[in-house]
Amino acid sequence: MKRRNLLRGALAAGLTAPALAALTAARTDVDQTLSPDAPEDLADLEAAAESYGYGYHGQAPTRVLADLVTDFTTLRPLLTVPQPAPVRARLCRTAGQMTGMTAIVLHDLGSRKESRAWFATAGRAAAESGDDQLHAWVLAREAMVPLNYGAPKAAAELADQARHSAGTRPTAAATLAAAVAARAYALNHQSEQSRAALAAADALMERLPDSERSDTWLTYGEQKHHVHLSHPYTTLADTRRANESQQRALELSAPTSTMTRTLLHIDAAACSHHDGDTEQACRRTVDALTALPADYRTGLVRRRALDLYEAIPAQHHRERAVRELRDVVAG
């Protein structure tokens, strides 16, 4: 009643400055409870996360890692104070994206333990954000750590969790999860399950909306699809389909995509080994490795080359090309 009388008195003389001030105060009181302003830094951090999603762009992974973690630390003050639920969800989503991408770089550098720790944080942030697709993306990306470092069964379990979280809709996370599952099954000698997951990934890719097809870490474009397909087809010794995916992925990969292009070349070399030309396989892998800057000859690239070396029967290990491969991988 008191506010009503004050407003009536203020408006009696028309829309004067005091009357407008009273109206503004009334509106602001309610507006702040309905859609409070987000912290100024949040929009910048969301834009930064989107920018990092475009990958290395020819930069050394360690430099990208330093920039990512520096920006990530600015989230902490925003997360430690009470925020309205919608703002808190945005903060957690951005934190999930940034921690997930940090984990990707650590994975690429071969730091498995640190990568898994960052993925665990990303999973908690994604869960709190309420974004099931982000949570599925984190799980699918996390599955690539054991996948690429010798634990395909663990990778398959994580990929299956990612597929369950993503659901059946054609999303980037669902397509990624199916492709990663196909890779894990192939390495685990489950060829039927691998081919079923490959078919599922292809079917999801055909229905994937344009909004999720861009070439970023957070989405799933044609280039990424063929990069993923190359690995299970190579592992299954389906060299024709593997070579088709490798060629298409290389056509779609930027010249600055150093790590991706090297992995594709090593997959192609492994196909030569499957087709009976081990010497050529070793020479192609040595050429791919020696063409790399020193910063890139570690982690995932080294692991993929080592997988090829270990697949070569021991009786060939004294051959010159095989010894050269061993020396380059060891170096």
Side-chain angles (χ1 to χ4, degrees), residues 47-67:
E50 179 184 355
S51 177
Y52 285 121
Y54 286 94
Y56 296 115
H57 277 296
Q59 299 179 86
T62 48
R63 179 172 179 176
V64 174
L65 180 63
D67 291 345

Side-chain angles (χ1 to χ4, degrees), residues 287-306:
D287 288 345
L289 291 174
T290 54
L292 283 173
D295 286 347
Y296 287 86
R297 293 182 211 161
T298 59
L300 179 54
V301 169
R302 181 182 178 278
R303 179 68 254 180
R304 192 69 62 85
L306 186 59

Side-chain angles (χ1 to χ4, degrees), residues 129-185:
S129 77
D131 188 334
D132 289 341
Q133 294 304 312
L134 177 60
H135 198 196
W137 174 83
V138 170
L139 287 167
R141 280 289 187 171
E142 183 180 359
M144 292 168 65
V145 181
L147 173 74
N148 288 316
Y149 292 103
K153 183 177 179 181
E157 290 174 356
L158 282 167
D160 286 343
Q161 291 177 37
R163 296 178 78 178
H164 178 75
S165 180
T168 58
R169 291 190 300 112
T171 63
T175 315
L176 173 66
V180 173
R183 297 174 63 182
Y185 292 141

